[in-house]
Amino acid sequence: MAAANCSLRVNRLLLDPKFESYKLSLDPLPCYGVELDNAVAEVKLRDDQYTLDHMRAYGMYNYLHSNPWSSDSVFYVDQLGRVMNINVTLDTALGKPVEVFRLPNDVSSFDGRLCSSMHFTSPDWVSLSDGTGTLYLIHLSKNDQSAAVKWELKFNEELGDPFIILHSILYARDEGQLIDVLLLSIEKDELDVQGSGFHVSLEWISVLCNPNHDKCEISKRRKLHGKSVPHYAAIEPDGNGLTIISYKPFRFIVDEDNQPEEERMEEEEKKEPLYTWQQTAEDVTLAFPLPDGITKEHIKIHFSPDHFSISLRDQEPFLKGQLYSVIDHESSTWILKDERSIEVTLAKRDVGSMWAEVVVGDKQGEFVADPAQCAAIAEQLMHLTSEDLNPNPDTEKPPCNAQELEECDMSLEDSTTLCRFDGITMKATHVVNLGGNQFLFSLVATPEVMPCFSLRHDVDALLWQPVSSKGDHLWEHAATFNALGYVQASKQDKKFFTCAPNFSYAALCECVRRIFIYRQPTPVSTVLYNRKEGRHVGQVAKQQVASLESREPILGFQASNERLFVLTIKKLFVIRVNTEG
């Protein structure tokens, strides 16, 4: 993957090396509940969805969706196929959920369906999936006579296998408006006999809508394949690129047979080699297979101290170029063996030197190791290896063991990477090896740009905002939650993790009942004194815990600047977090 290796630039001004800890606050958190008219359309994993990727993509799916252009407005899909909305203006007067759209088809009996998913593409468009493989694009318009928003279906098309929607954007082109949607599905992979037997598919679809919004059609489809569900995947606002954070790399599918370009190149490289070669300390031996009907008179071979060429029947040489090292051209020879192959022997002038290749830059040959040489090398290295496990790792000089591995010892293939793909060339342009920077969560802070993502840096949780830039500075350090990277690691039952769009607090919830809130440091109204360090404390970061009056599993979790929304199968809880504003 030819791409620029980049790094994330931390803004030191956003770090607090003197941060002490979160102080548990017993201040009450007002919590209100709304009973749902109909249960949430939860889809549980089937027996054939047994991998970790299935669990991460479908089993941990967030069934609650927020409209980033409308504060404190959340949505979910119920078992009747209705998109339901709750818009909170006054906590003490929560209304019943309101139906805003109904899926055209009854999908409850569809075999193999996934959960319904949605994404707010723009203030006027919503992308929606029914979980059966059909994509819906809905235009939102306000009625002049009332404040109600009308959801009008403008596009629906069956795309194939069931999928969930990860991200969508709207942008203008000369030919009209384009809506780009990013879809995820986990597909059976018959060629993966040693792995899980599945691969992850990301499909990037562009839908062209005319200015009147009365006709929409697919203009482009692109696919990527990977071996792990991405932690983060989002399209750039102008549709020129795609950013993915994943444990395993993704590759675009570009040819007609839906085969990755890199795999196709690998297969081409696996074709029969033009020649095979071996070497000793004194010489290099090449063997060229010959087509039928070739005699000694048809062969022309030219030796010089640093060049070599070979051709047949007055044709252009099929191998020529500069040799890896100088040879004794007068002592170099060739013979025809059984009229089926040519054996060329190049006498090394620098006896004892080992060649890495024959002709500089040529990849048509295959090196064949001499078994006797391999055995001799193995015997020389025997004292450096052992087939036995380390019986005593606490000795003064123990052999290397897995506990001593550091970040630099790990393969890039097995570490999380942040990768930016170009939407035109379909190739990776920037790659950041995240190493030990654990991915924590993502959120939409500013709806006009890409979602933020949070990574653990040492003990802190840092928020990164993708920005539009032509250089390597594509991700900007936007905020820091002190020590939250360390704190969240102790929450073994955590399910969802997020923060307020204005970064005033972060919150995570467990699978059932409990929600933890971590506020940014704020000035204290009373004077506090740190006896240990002998100084006054001007700011305190508070931690709060809320417990829901429900034992049902939490299915959805969203945060606004003032409220937390928690969804269970038959109830929506609203927790008032900030009372200012």
Side-chain angles (χ1 to χ4, degrees), residues 159-214:
L159 303 179
D161 293 333
F163 57 82
I164 59 174
I165 298 175
L166 295 183
H167 190 237
S168 61
I169 60 166
L170 171 73
Y171 57 99
R173 284 287 189 265
D174 295 337
E175 59 273 23
Q177 287 186 322
L178 275 172
I179 295 177
D180 280 11
V181 188
L182 190 61
L183 315 175
L184 179 144
S185 59
I186 300 176
E187 302 172 350
K188 193 72 177 174
D189 190 347
E190 301 295 342
L191 299 178
D192 185 15
V193 295
Q194 295 183 341
S196 66
F198 296 89
H199 67 246
V200 179
S201 174
L202 291 180
E203 186 163 13
W204 181 358
I205 293 181
S206 297
V207 180
L208 177 63
C209 298
N210 64 17
N212 297 324
H213 302 150
D214 56 3

Side-chain angles (χ1 to χ4, degrees), residues 271-288:
K271 292 179 180 178
E272 284 294 322
L274 178 65
Y275 61 93
T276 58
W277 63 286
Q278 293 180 311
Q279 64 176 320
T280 64
E282 294 80 18
D283 54 47
V284 175
T285 302
L286 294 78
F288 295 87

Side-chain angles (χ1 to χ4, degrees), residues 493 508-516 545-548 554:
D493 295 327
L508 62 86
C509 72
E510 295 184 340
C511 296
V512 177
R513 195 175 182 184
R514 289 202 297 178
I515 292 97
F516 299 88
V545 182
S547 295
L548 304 180
I554 294 175

Side-chain angles (χ1 to χ4, degrees), residues 104-327:
N105 303 316
D106 180 13
V107 299
S108 58
S109 60
F110 184 88
D111 186 26
R113 76 180 178 109
L114 304 177
C115 51
S116 299
S117 57
M118 62 191 305
H119 187 268
F120 283 83
T121 308
S122 74
D124 304 320
W125 286 92
V126 175
S127 303
L128 178 65
S129 164
D130 60 7
T132 67
T134 301
L135 174 66
Y136 303 89
L137 296 181
I138 301 163
H139 185 253
L140 309 184
S141 59
K142 282 192 176 181
N143 191 328
D144 294 336
Q145 309 299 325
S146 66
V149 177
K150 181 181 179 182
W151 288 44
E152 187 176 359
L153 181 62
K154 294 294 185 180
F155 170 88
N156 67 296
E157 187 166 326
E158 187 175 340
L159 303 179
D161 293 333
F163 57 82
I164 59 174
I165 298 175
L166 295 183
H167 190 237
S168 61
I169 60 166
L170 171 73
Y171 57 99
R173 284 287 189 265
D174 295 337
E175 59 273 23
Q177 287 186 322
L178 275 172
I179 295 177
D180 280 11
V181 188
L182 190 61
L183 315 175
L184 179 144
S185 59
I186 300 176
E187 302 172 350
K188 193 72 177 174
D189 190 347
E190 301 295 342
L191 299 178
D192 185 15
V193 295
Q194 295 183 341
S196 66
F198 296 89
H199 67 246
V200 179
S201 174
L202 291 180
E203 186 163 13
W204 181 358
I205 293 181
S206 297
V207 180
L208 177 63
C209 298
N210 64 17
N212 297 324
H213 302 150
D214 56 3
K215 184 179 180 182
C216 298
E217 58 183 3
I218 294 178
S219 63
K220 196 170 186 180
R221 296 179 70 166
R222 290 148 285 185
K223 262 195 175 184
L224 303 94
H225 279 177
K227 297 301 293 183
S228 67
V229 170
H231 299 293
Y232 172 97
I235 308 168
E236 294 176 358
D238 54 8
N240 289 334
L242 172 68
T243 298
I244 297 175
I245 299 177
S246 62
Y247 176 66
K248 295 288 185 180
F250 275 80
R251 294 175 293 184
F252 265 103
I253 310 299
V254 296
D255 66 352
E256 295 179 353
D257 296 327
N258 286 338
Q259 185 183 25
E261 180 183 19
E262 295 176 12
E263 288 184 5
R264 189 157 38 84
M265 293 174 63
E266 290 175 1
E267 287 191 2
E268 290 176 358
E269 292 175 359
K270 292 178 183 178
K271 292 179 180 178
E272 284 294 322
L274 178 65
Y275 61 93
T276 58
W277 63 286
Q278 293 180 311
Q279 64 176 320
T280 64
E282 294 80 18
D283 54 47
V284 175
T285 302
L286 294 78
F288 295 87
L290 290 176
D292 295 335
I294 296 297
T295 64
K296 190 174 184 179
E297 289 72 24
H298 295 144
I299 304 170
K300 290 187 178 180
I301 297 179
H302 175 70
F303 299 108
S304 71
D306 58 357
H307 277 74
F308 169 76
S309 69
I310 177 171
S311 60
L312 298 176
R313 291 176 174 169
D314 297 326
Q315 298 177 358
E316 288 293 321
F318 55 86
L319 178 63
K320 73 172 183 177
Q322 181 180 351
L323 292 170
Y324 180 80
S325 186
V326 180
I327 62 170

Side-chain angles (χ1 to χ4, degrees), residues 337-526:
K337 299 183 67 175
D338 302 327
E339 296 186 354
R340 291 187 177 181
S341 66
I342 306 170
E343 187 175 281
V344 180
T345 301
L346 305 175
K348 296 180 180 178
R349 181 173 292 180
D350 186 7
V351 176
S353 66
M354 303 306 288
W355 290 19
E357 55 187 346
V358 180
V359 175
V360 176
D362 179 68
K363 304 296 182 184
Q364 304 175 84
E366 180 183 349
F367 177 72
V368 179
D370 183 9
Q373 287 180 317
C374 293
I377 293 173
E379 186 175 352
Q380 293 174 7
L381 299 177
M382 186 67 70
H383 70 286
L384 299 177
T385 63
S386 174
E387 295 181 357
D388 298 326
L389 294 176
N390 180 16
N392 187 7
D394 297 324
T395 56
E396 183 179 355
K397 292 184 178 180
C400 177
N401 58 69
Q403 293 153 353
E404 293 178 335
L405 290 177
E406 297 186 5
E407 190 175 307
C408 60
D409 299 314
M410 300 177 184
S411 168
L412 289 178
E413 291 290 319
D414 294 331
S415 63
T416 302
T417 56
L418 166 61
C419 187
R420 189 259 180 191
F421 288 91
D422 184 85
I424 299 175
T425 63
M426 300 185 178
K427 293 183 179 179
T429 61
H430 300 77
V431 176
V432 179
N433 178 28
L434 298 180
N437 300 126
Q438 175 194 3
F439 177 86
L440 300 178
F441 62 89
S442 64
L443 80 148
V444 177
T446 305
E448 292 79 15
V449 297
M450 297 172 72
C452 294
F453 56 86
S454 177
L455 304 174
R456 177 176 178 176
H457 291 250
D458 195 10
V459 298
D460 296 332
L462 271 56
L463 274 169
W464 298 91
Q465 174 65 67
V467 294
S468 298
S469 172
K470 294 184 179 179
D472 293 337
H473 187 50
L474 301 181
W475 305 281
E476 184 178 89
H477 180 191
T480 300
F481 288 98
N482 299 299
L484 194 56
Y486 174 77
V487 171
Q488 62 83 32
S490 66
K491 310 300 181 186
Q492 298 298 319
D493 295 327
K494 63 178 177 291
K495 186 171 186 180
F496 299 119
F497 199 176
T498 189
C499 75
N502 63 1
F503 314 140
S504 59
Y505 69 91
L508 62 86
C509 72
E510 295 184 340
C511 296
V512 177
R513 195 175 182 184
R514 289 202 297 178
I515 292 97
F516 299 88
I517 299 166
Y518 302 91
R519 299 181 183 272
Q520 293 283 21
T522 55
V524 293
S525 56
T526 58

